[in-house]
Amino acid sequence: MDSVEKLRKEFKYWKHSPYFYQKHNYYESEWKDSYRMLVDSFTLSSSTFENALSKSLSYSSLWIMKLSPVGDAVPYSFKDLENMTLKFSRSQCLIHTMYDRLFADHQGNVAIKAWDFFVPQFPSYADHPDRFCNELEILTREDRDPCLMNLKGNFHLRPNFLAFNVSSVPCASNQFGWNARMKVATQLASLFAWFHERRYAFGTVRPKDIMIDNDFNIKVFDFGFLTPVTNEDNWGPLPYHAIREPPEARYGIQNLKADVYIFGILLVELIGNSYIGIEKKMAMHHWILRELQGEKKSIVNESILQDNDELPNGITDIAVKCLNEHPNERPDMVEVSTNLSNLVGAT
């Protein structure tokens, strides 16, 4: 962890400005044509920073510093990554995540995650370097959860990159049956609980951020945010987007109970296909209560599981509790994981 702490210290010293004010952050961004009005101010700021900081001997330390390997991760060069991704060709891009892109190695055995820095005026990008260090720490822990991607290498000069060993494909929740969905759900719950036991907020996770192998084992490679949580009342900017946010997100709260709500969304997406694409303007907790009006006790899609027994009712009950509008009334993820595993294992 010494290398991660060394890198974190450099980021903190420079307040991340050297990253954001490099011209290539604009020129290499695929969003550049959508933000033409920001070009002049951005390039002027970049030139100002470059001229001022290039005169400082300590400035160069961030760009020439040599890090010892972090865990088993191999320090890649930018040239290595360009060769692996055919210069980050769009044809090699597997997925666009919330802030990143996931590229496939042209040989097919490595996935490269690239943080997309673009224009420092966007506050949602300000914590990229911190998240990069947090992910390095998590992915190189001796007790790393098996549902996390296997880290193969990293690169921290210019935008940050992580490289993963892959034997999986992106997860699509409508492409597998009930038993597979339950395996994914229990693994996700266990992973959320693993993070919470180590006092990390997991953040927004979408199906597209999860890889799955032929045996329906998951590998998670991206998080909306990944941050240490010291108590249940942490405040800060949340990178949640639209329909996937818990109601307290409007107040800027990021805590473990917000993760429970996010898991509830993922669980609903696994057991009932009707929510996504139909009720885009309705918050999940309002939708699920509306669906369970009257005597209805389950939101499990009948095309997935047709038996109307205690299993779908029990899983629906878990989802309802996770999606409680009031954070303090939601269960913790260890309880959710235990109850879900017991319910699925008993059937």
Side-chain angles (χ1 to χ4, degrees), residues 275-323:
Y275 173 71
I276 302 303
I278 296 177
E279 302 291 348
K280 291 183 178 180
K281 294 183 179 180
M282 182 179 291
M284 179 69 87
H285 54 280
H286 291 312
W287 175 86
I288 198 169
L289 291 177
R290 191 194 71 175
E291 287 293 298
L292 295 175
Q293 288 178 350
E295 298 182 357
K296 186 176 180 180
K297 296 181 179 180
S298 169
I299 61 166
V300 173
N301 191 294
E302 293 182 358
S303 66
I304 306 171
L305 183 68
Q306 302 200 4
D307 294 334
N308 185 18
D309 56 19
E310 64 181 59
L311 178 57
N313 294 348
I315 293 177
T316 297
D317 183 62
I318 291 175
V320 170
K321 291 177 179 177
C322 290
L323 294 168

Side-chain angles (χ1 to χ4, degrees), residues 94-98 102 169-176 181 184 188 192 202-212 218-223 243-244 262-273 275-276 284:
L94 293 174
I95 299 171
H96 284 80
T97 64
M98 190 173 296
L102 189 72
V169 297
C171 173
S173 62
N174 61 349
Q175 293 182 353
F176 48 100
R181 289 169 188 252
V184 169
L188 274 173
F192 272 67
F202 194 98
T204 298
V205 182
R206 299 167 297 177
K208 67 189 296 185
D209 303 328
I210 303 167
M211 308 289 275
I212 187 168
I218 65 169
K219 295 290 184 181
V220 177
F221 67 87
D222 196 62
F223 325 95
I243 205 65
R244 305 192 72 85
I262 295 301
F263 175 77
I265 293 178
L266 289 167
L267 185 57
V268 169
E269 289 174 331
L270 282 165
I271 65 176
N273 294 332
Y275 173 71
I276 302 303
M284 179 69 87

Side-chain angles (χ1 to χ4, degrees), residues 133-144:
C133 292
N134 289 342
E135 290 193 25
L136 275 176
E137 289 181 350
I138 285 291
L139 293 170
T140 55
R141 289 178 63 109
E142 291 185 0
D143 63 343
R144 180 183 60 84

